[in-house]
Amino acid sequence: MQFASRLDNVETSAIRELFKLLGKPGIISFAGGFPDSAMFDVEGLKEASQKALTEEPGGALQYGATEGYEPLRTQLSSFMKTKGVDVDPSGLIVTTGSQQALDLLGKTMISPGDKVIVEGPTFLATIQCFRLYGAQLISAPIDANGVKTDELEKLIAEHKPKFVYLIPTFGNPSGAMLSLERRKKVLELAVKYQTLIVEDDPYGDLYFGEAPPPSIMSLSKDVPGSRELLAHCGSLSKVLSPGLRIGWMIAPPELLAKATMCKQFSDAHTSTFSQATAAQYLKSGRMPATLAHVREVYGQRAQAMGAALKRELGDAVNFTQPNGGLFFWARLTGANGKLADANELAKRAIEKLVAFVPGAPFFAEKPDVATLRLSFATADVAKIEEGVKRLGQAL
């Protein structure tokens, strides 16, 4: 068969390929980007789904509007307001996970050859998605405080991208948190260069201790003209349930209209039953307690992983302790003659019954083979300590 040429530049996800190796008995996995299913508020979701079927069964089980189920859009509008973003329900659309929002951005914004700036490293599925639509991806360097805005400005001025894609709060895979100063600078750059900024925020509610700076979209009210140059993608997957497949996108009206049209061709609408369930859950007022619980548990696990990495790997690895999210981003130093190739270490680690994701696939250009991503989300403290011990043995 002769497939579409757009597939020529897209590879199978390295993470999905790795999962094929995870069936061994006794393996401890730090590879996935999943939330812990033990964290799901099953009782709350059960009540929400029953209410959805009792109060408005027709709406929950029938076809719905492409833009989204109106009660959910209203609840999401209120949810965003608690985070400092004023958005009318008509100013957002519901998507099938935030992943679909990224796909809709690709469909509506990218023509073959268009340049798009992403962080280096960034979310692997974003690289694949944007390349599928023919984008030429440009990497902007990051550090523990997120994208380096002085370097970002140079890249915007040189390449004049269609848009800039950022995960400013506890990025995947980096775990980095864009500083308040840099968030404001990003907004200034959007206005100065009239460049669309896409803020992807699936992890912003998963902070440990002190809350992160306000979202870029929240800060836009302080920078005249910036709100019209912003798209914001949100998700309930990491904080409530990925199985619901509920995400949303806030964007300028013209972009939302084009995205809605493309979504109509794609899936007609996100599951109305999932939307009705999510609407009832948000309405119930249980979300704050759910968030407090997951923050506490993930915070403990992050601390345990950081301590174990220092203890078991020492100066053979560099990392910044994350203040939220689901991931550690680390770099092998090669100290004392130890291995500095994460791909080779991944093979050895599997033999020791522990798994992680090598970092190279997360780079759109100039991959760093010494990097790796470790998720602490689905392993308890004892498994984290044992898994990192095995990693030290593999190294």
Side-chain angles (χ1 to χ4, degrees):
M1 285 181 278
Q2 191 169 2
F3 295 105
S5 59
R6 74 174 72 91
L7 295 177
D8 294 345
N9 295 322
V10 182
E11 298 175 357
T12 303
S13 165
I15 299 172
R16 299 291 172 196
E17 289 298 303
L18 182 65
F19 283 164
K20 295 176 184 177
L21 303 173
L22 300 185
K24 290 184 178 182
I27 201 157
I28 295 174
S29 176
F30 302 140
F34 306 151
D36 189 342
S37 56
M39 300 290 103
F40 300 157
D41 182 6
V42 176
E43 284 305 309
L45 286 165
K46 191 183 294 182
E47 286 179 20
S49 63
Q50 288 172 344
K51 277 191 175 181
L53 291 172
T54 302
E55 294 182 10
E56 199 182 350
L61 298 175
Q62 186 55 277
Y63 284 115
T66 302
E67 295 89 338
Y69 181 62
E70 196 59 34
L72 177 58
R73 294 171 85 193
T74 299
Q75 290 298 326
L76 290 173
S77 171
S78 299
F79 185 55
M80 290 304 299
K81 195 162 190 175
T82 67
K83 301 198 274 187
V85 176
D86 281 321
V87 59
D88 189 82
S90 64
L92 63 85
I93 63 170
V94 179
T95 58
T96 304
S98 60
Q99 182 75 48
Q100 186 183 48
L102 302 180
D103 183 64
L104 293 173
L105 283 162
K107 281 179 177 168
T108 55
M109 297 297 297
I110 299 171
S111 298
D114 281 347
K115 293 179 178 179
V116 174
I117 294 177
V118 299
E119 292 159 302
T122 192
F123 182 38
L124 178 55
T126 303
I127 295 174
Q128 296 169 313
C129 174
F130 293 167
R131 279 190 176 148
L132 185 65
Y133 294 109
Q136 179 185 343
L137 299 181
I138 313 294
S139 278
I142 67 166
D143 58 22
N145 294 310
V147 69
K148 297 179 179 179
T149 46
D150 52 347
E151 297 292 328
L152 177 61
E153 179 166 14
K154 291 175 189 173
L155 291 172
I156 292 174
E158 178 185 353
H159 294 287
K160 299 175 177 57
K162 232 6 176 355
F163 59 88
V164 175
Y165 170 82
L166 303 173
I167 314 174
T169 311
F170 315 129
N172 177 3
S174 69
M177 184 171 72
L178 191 64
S179 67
L180 179 61
E181 181 185 356
R182 290 186 184 181
R183 288 170 194 247
K184 292 175 179 176
K185 182 65 175 177
V186 165
L187 289 166
E188 291 166 7
L189 293 178
V191 175
K192 180 177 179 179
Y193 295 97
Q194 290 296 292
T195 300
L196 178 71
I197 304 293
V198 176
E199 177 182 36
D200 195 5
D201 190 30
Y203 307 101
D205 288 309
L206 295 178
Y207 55 85
F208 316 140
E210 189 178 341
S215 67
I216 292 174
M217 179 153 277
S218 173
L219 293 169
S220 67
K221 56 182 173 286
D222 301 325
V223 182
S226 61
R227 179 69 181 259
E228 305 87 72
L229 293 162
L230 283 182
H232 177 99
C233 305
S235 173
L236 294 182
S237 291
K238 302 302 188 291
V239 295
L240 185 57
S241 159
L244 285 175
R245 307 308 302 130
I246 297 295
W248 62 93
M249 180 165 67
I250 303 167
E254 189 178 11
L255 174 52
L256 273 191
K258 296 289 188 187
T260 301
M261 179 180 69
C262 289
K263 180 173 168 61
Q264 194 169 19
F265 307 152
S266 178
D267 66 357
H269 59 79
T270 298
S271 162
T272 45
F273 182 57
S274 286
Q275 290 188 73
T277 299
Q280 289 288 351
Y281 190 90
L282 290 172
K283 185 179 173 184
S284 74
R286 295 177 70 114
M287 183 62 95
T290 295
L291 286 173
H293 178 54
V294 297
R295 286 169 188 153
E296 181 183 4
V297 173
Y298 291 153
Q300 290 169 353
R301 293 176 182 180
Q303 286 297 323
M305 181 168 276
L309 286 169
K310 287 178 182 175
R311 184 174 63 250
E312 302 293 343
L313 278 72
D315 60 0
V317 66
N318 282 336
F319 64 89
T320 298
Q321 181 75 27
N323 295 313
L326 302 178
F327 306 108
F328 270 77
W329 181 247
R331 190 171 193 280
L332 301 173
T333 65
N336 302 316
K338 288 192 172 72
L339 192 65
D341 183 335
N343 292 307
E344 180 59 34
L345 179 59
K347 295 172 189 172
R348 294 189 193 178
I350 288 286
E351 292 172 6
K352 297 288 185 183
L353 297 180
V354 62
F356 65 86
V357 181
F362 295 99
F363 291 87
E365 50 183 5
K366 300 174 185 171
D368 185 348
V369 297
T371 56
L372 57 148
R373 190 192 78 175
L374 303 157
S375 173
F376 49 80
T378 56
D380 61 25
V381 169
K383 280 191 175 176
I384 286 170
E385 291 177 344
E386 174 60 26
V388 175
K389 186 177 179 182
R390 294 178 188 179
L391 192 60
Q393 291 168 351
L395 188 63

